[in-house]
Amino acid sequence: MEPFKSVTATAVPFPGVNVDTDQILPARFLSKPRAEGFAQYLFHDLRFDDGGKERKNFVLNTPPYRHGEILVGEDNFGCGSSRENAVWAVADYGFRVVVAPSFGDIFFSNSLKNGLLPVVLKRDAISSIMIQLKEQQGATIEVDLAAQTLTAPNGAVHSFEIDEFSKHCLLNGIDELDYTLSQKDQIDAFEKRHAAEQGWTVPD
């Protein structure tokens, strides 16, 4: 994964509560190979009509937002079924951050494991940011992971929480397996000490 330090980028407003994983990535695309990338399937049935043409009024099809890297949603973003592919679609499209008052639990967890930073802010902060993004189309937001701050278009600074393990992994661009491998020397030393001290518990 790419290390996450900070990002300043166009923020895409995505109003609507309970945006579920089937809206993010329709179920019929779940079997697609990971290597092909899932960006083309993100919000597919909202982005395209039945003939495959872009819906002109959909936010990602409008010029200010085509290349946004920060997605701003509302309550319970990413709810629904536990499909990691939905996170892949968001990340493959180019988003580095998703901001919302709350997330579906599994979507939140999968995001952290795939280098996508989910930022939880209070509902009134999100409402204010949504208004700013409506008034200033193409406005940018800054997210600083090390400082755990988000700076809104109007300059207001909001703090957010993240657990230390996830923060460490994101800052260093590693996943859980990479982290485990980085502890190999300590693991080997423990096993040797354990074998010496309690050899009777170690299988032959």
Side-chain angles (χ1 to χ4, degrees), residues 87 98 106-118 170:
V87 171
V98 182
I106 298 177
F107 182 90
F108 186 92
S109 176
N110 285 335
S111 294
L112 292 171
K113 294 175 181 178
N114 285 276
L116 178 68
L117 175 62
L170 286 168

Side-chain angles (χ1 to χ4, degrees), residues 78-189:
C79 60
S81 60
S82 56
R83 56 187 70 168
E84 189 174 13
N85 316 52
V87 171
W88 296 349
V90 177
D92 287 356
Y93 189 85
F95 287 108
R96 303 295 311 283
V97 183
V98 182
V99 187
S102 60
F103 290 88
D105 290 341
I106 298 177
F107 182 90
F108 186 92
S109 176
N110 285 335
S111 294
L112 292 171
K113 294 175 181 178
N114 285 276
L116 178 68
L117 175 62
V119 171
V120 176
L121 295 183
K122 293 181 178 179
R123 191 174 292 105
D124 58 351
I126 294 292
S127 297
S128 174
I129 290 171
M130 284 287 194
I131 292 171
Q132 294 169 50
L133 296 179
K134 181 178 180 180
E135 294 175 345
Q136 307 172 51
Q137 293 190 8
T140 61
I141 283 176
E142 178 185 1
V143 177
D144 186 328
L145 176 57
Q148 294 180 209
T149 58
L150 179 150
T151 304
N154 66 355
V157 178
H158 305 275
S159 297
F160 62 88
E161 299 296 322
I162 183 172
D163 69 273
E164 286 300 320
F165 176 74
S166 296
K167 181 178 180 179
H168 173 82
C169 289
L170 286 168
L171 285 171
N172 291 280
I174 59 176
D175 59 18
E176 293 173 338
L177 177 59
D178 293 326
Y179 179 82
T180 301
L181 292 174
S182 75
Q183 307 299 307
K184 186 178 184 302
D185 290 344
Q186 293 92 320
I187 294 170
D188 289 344

Side-chain angles (χ1 to χ4, degrees), residues 14 20-29 38-61 83 89:
F14 202 94
D20 64 34
T21 50
D22 195 56
Q23 291 173 285
I24 297 170
L25 181 72
R28 65 185 181 279
F29 299 121
F38 279 75
Q40 59 191 312
Y41 309 125
L42 177 65
F43 297 120
H44 186 277
D45 295 349
L46 300 175
R47 285 169 63 194
F48 306 104
D49 63 22
D50 292 341
K53 293 183 179 180
E54 289 187 348
R55 299 182 190 274
K56 294 182 180 179
N57 293 329
F58 184 67
V59 63
L60 293 182
N61 295 334
R83 56 187 70 168

